[in-house]
Amino acid sequence: MSVHKKFRKAIGCGIGKAYLIILEHPNIDFSKRIKRNVLQRMCYDGQCEGPWGDYYYQLICGTPQKDALIEFVLEELAKEQDDWYVLTQLYEIAALAATEDGNERAREVIWERFKQEYAEGDDWNGENALLRIAGKKALLGLARLKGKYLKKRPSEIEFGGLISEFDELYPKLNGRKLLRRASLQDPFIKTYWECVQRNNKPSKKRKRTKKKLGYKAIQKRIQTATFFWAGPWVDEIKDKTWQKLAEELMKETKFKIQERYLKLFAKRKFPLDSQILFDFVEQKKQSPKRLIAPAVEALAMFQSDQIRSYALERLKKKKDILVYLPLLKYNYKSGDHLLLDEILQKKWSSEELHDLNYHYRAIYKINSTKECMLPLKRLYGRLNCGVCREEILTTLYKNNGLKKGLLEEMKFDSQQRIRALYLKWSHRLSDDIKN
């Protein structure tokens, strides 16, 4: 794979390898790819993960084209952007250029762009950037603007996200204390402060009486619920009732009700012979396809040579892999990592990679082994979701499969939580794990 392709893959996922590639190849111009990605939402879930502005700023600072790239960002920030995420990302890069490099043009562009946002409405993506470059002044100014808005619309709700952002950037300044004092002098800040206080007032918790999950109550739920969900309450069912529900499944003929029973047994081990579940999985009763997935999840709690052989047979056919993967949880053997790695080498969508991540981690949570390094590292390199990557890295760490190269990448990841894990783990790992 060429260096440009490696970089495109790494920056597309938001992993630290992109920064390391820039450092390793100072004579290669990566600016075209950086420009393209800065103007896109590359992460899987923008609201959960936040913008990648600090990640891109880090990449930009590693290139010889830094000044030109910052100028490009400022030009784009001044323009209309269709995606709030991209706008927030541009704001963040500009704010870092202003605070880290003392770039005065970046400060000016941020202020001008925010004035435009303010004129257009009350949903401002530049709040964090203003807090970064102006600190206390921005906190009081933004609180005053929000207070003016709340004065006109007293029914609106404000929980104080602005204060949380300020405290994260300036933990020693105490945003609440600053606003409380300012509210004594400014009526608009007072309106904002009182609204935040009112909406964060702890509500009285009502004591909930737990409903007993008897056989009749569960049966009613299975038979009549509009939406049936088998949650943690399944573990509270008494063993005698659980046995009785399993016997009811054997008598049931309606596919919809069978599916609901199987969803129960996908959460807690089926108390009868596993062959009953095999009948659903292999469609011996000509059951519909929708019964196979919950039946497989229920069967996955059993361990036997028969289940392992069946699992390997289905996975090697490379059809419905995501359905049959759970069967390896309790039937995994040394060497299966090669099959799991082979599976990852086919094309998968982002959604499918998420599901693979869930199943692979479940397998290696039960089967702790350094073998997990090969498939999990490949999966890590294909995920554009920082939350999933964090889970994979945690699994590798617990299984002693986190090596020096991957640890170094974590230092420059797009996700703050992964960078924090680097700081936490780097001094704990033994020399033999690092090497």
Side-chain angles (χ1 to χ4, degrees), residues 290-338:
R290 73 183 188 190
L291 297 184
I292 295 176
V296 165
E297 288 189 44
L299 187 61
M301 296 186 197
F302 289 84
Q303 185 177 26
S304 73
D305 291 339
Q306 181 190 13
I307 296 172
R308 174 173 168 77
S309 297
Y310 182 75
L312 294 177
E313 177 191 335
R314 302 301 306 191
L315 293 175
K316 285 174 182 177
K317 285 183 178 179
K318 298 183 180 179
K319 187 179 179 182
D320 296 326
I321 287 172
L322 289 168
V323 173
Y324 295 102
L325 262 177
L327 294 176
L328 277 188
K329 280 194 295 185
Y330 288 97
N331 294 280
Y332 181 93
K333 286 188 179 179
S334 180
D336 286 347
H337 67 291
L338 297 173

Side-chain angles (χ1 to χ4, degrees), residues 239-364:
D239 291 343
K240 284 185 179 179
T241 302
W242 194 243
Q243 178 83 12
K244 200 171 182 181
L245 290 169
E247 292 167 358
E248 289 294 330
L249 169 63
M250 296 173 64
K251 300 173 187 175
E252 185 58 58
T253 56
K254 293 179 181 178
F255 296 143
K256 179 181 177 180
I257 307 302
Q258 286 177 337
E259 183 182 17
R260 293 182 172 189
Y261 276 114
L262 288 170
K263 284 181 177 179
L264 285 179
F265 300 118
K267 297 293 181 182
R268 178 176 162 186
K269 193 170 183 180
F270 187 64
L272 303 180
D273 192 338
S274 62
Q275 187 58 47
I276 297 166
L277 299 173
F278 251 123
D279 288 346
F280 286 101
V281 172
E282 296 181 314
Q283 295 182 304
K284 290 180 179 177
K285 297 180 179 179
Q286 297 181 342
S287 53
K289 202 170 184 179
R290 73 183 188 190
L291 297 184
I292 295 176
V296 165
E297 288 189 44
L299 187 61
M301 296 186 197
F302 289 84
Q303 185 177 26
S304 73
D305 291 339
Q306 181 190 13
I307 296 172
R308 174 173 168 77
S309 297
Y310 182 75
L312 294 177
E313 177 191 335
R314 302 301 306 191
L315 293 175
K316 285 174 182 177
K317 285 183 178 179
K318 298 183 180 179
K319 187 179 179 182
D320 296 326
I321 287 172
L322 289 168
V323 173
Y324 295 102
L325 262 177
L327 294 176
L328 277 188
K329 280 194 295 185
Y330 288 97
N331 294 280
Y332 181 93
K333 286 188 179 179
S334 180
D336 286 347
H337 67 291
L338 297 173
L339 173 60
L340 294 179
D341 186 59
E342 183 185 337
I343 286 169
L344 284 173
Q345 293 178 46
K346 64 172 286 190
K347 287 186 178 180
W348 297 98
S349 68
S350 292
E351 291 292 342
E352 289 169 332
L353 285 169
H354 264 68
D355 291 337
L356 285 167
N357 165 55
Y358 173 79
H359 291 310
Y360 277 41
R361 284 188 302 105
I363 289 169
Y364 286 117

Side-chain angles (χ1 to χ4, degrees), residues 190-220:
K190 182 180 180 181
T191 300
Y192 170 76
W193 175 246
E194 287 178 346
C195 185
V196 170
Q197 292 291 97
R198 189 166 56 249
N199 289 305
N200 283 285
K201 190 176 181 180
S203 57
K204 292 181 180 179
K205 292 183 179 180
R206 294 181 180 178
K207 289 185 178 180
R208 293 184 180 180
T209 53
K210 283 188 177 182
K211 293 182 179 179
K212 291 183 179 180
L213 288 167
Y215 174 74
K216 288 184 178 179
I218 297 167
Q219 269 290 352
K220 185 179 180 181

